Amino acid sequence: MKMPVVTVTLVSAALLYVLWDQTRGTPAPASAERFSNLATSPASRGEVLDFLVSRVPVFCSEATGRDSGETFNDCVQRANSRSSSCRRTMVGQFPDNVMSEAVFRDLSITMINCLVPQSGVVQP
């Protein structure tokens, strides 16, 4: 029986790509300074969303008034479970490239409110 050369070549190439992709290091997370001058150095929407998702514990700390405990952990868990649906929502509402402070602010506020919804009650 003759070996299908094209199929073997394509499968081998796919396996090599997967192995190469898994050995690459993950890029360092963006810091707030990355978004300080968007007019000359636009950021991708994904970059901004990755940054915001990485800050979920900070947002939950601000929302709950705690840095640990059951309420804080529940907040982080709920935000992490909502992150993919929130990202999909942002894709439909915001451009691929964030080129201004106003778009960054609107995207950030909308994403934070999606991840960690706040009630309308003002705490004393």
Side-chain angles (χ1 to χ4, degrees):
M1 181 167 185
K2 188 174 180 180
M3 191 71 133
V5 176
V6 173
T7 304
V8 171
T9 304
L10 289 174
V11 169
S12 297
L15 287 173
L16 287 173
Y17 174 77
V18 168
L19 289 173
W20 171 76
D21 190 47
Q22 289 179 351
T23 59
R24 291 187 325 169
T26 56
S31 65
E33 291 83 32
R34 163 64 183 99
F35 309 111
S36 64
N37 193 0
L38 294 168
T40 59
S41 178
S44 70
R45 178 183 54 231
E47 223 178 337
V48 175
L49 296 178
D50 288 344
F51 172 71
L52 294 170
V53 169
S54 73
R55 303 212 10 108
V56 161
V58 174
F59 303 142
C60 284
S61 177
E62 291 172 358
T64 63
R66 297 186 168 93
D67 290 334
S68 61
E70 186 177 338
T71 306
F72 172 79
N73 292 335
D74 286 346
C75 175
V76 171
Q77 200 170 29
R78 281 192 313 265
N80 287 333
S81 69
R82 278 196 291 265
S83 67
S84 60
S85 63
C86 290
R87 282 177 184 271
R88 283 191 299 272
T89 302
M90 299 308 116
V91 168
Q93 294 181 0
F94 294 95
D96 290 339
N97 293 311
V98 178
M99 300 168 68
S100 71
E101 186 178 317
V103 173
F104 178 82
R105 181 187 59 243
D106 292 345
L107 173 58
S108 297
I109 291 170
T110 307
M111 183 66 169
I112 292 167
N113 285 336
C114 184
L115 291 170
V116 185
Q118 301 286 321
S119 67
V121 179
V122 176
Q123 299 291 329

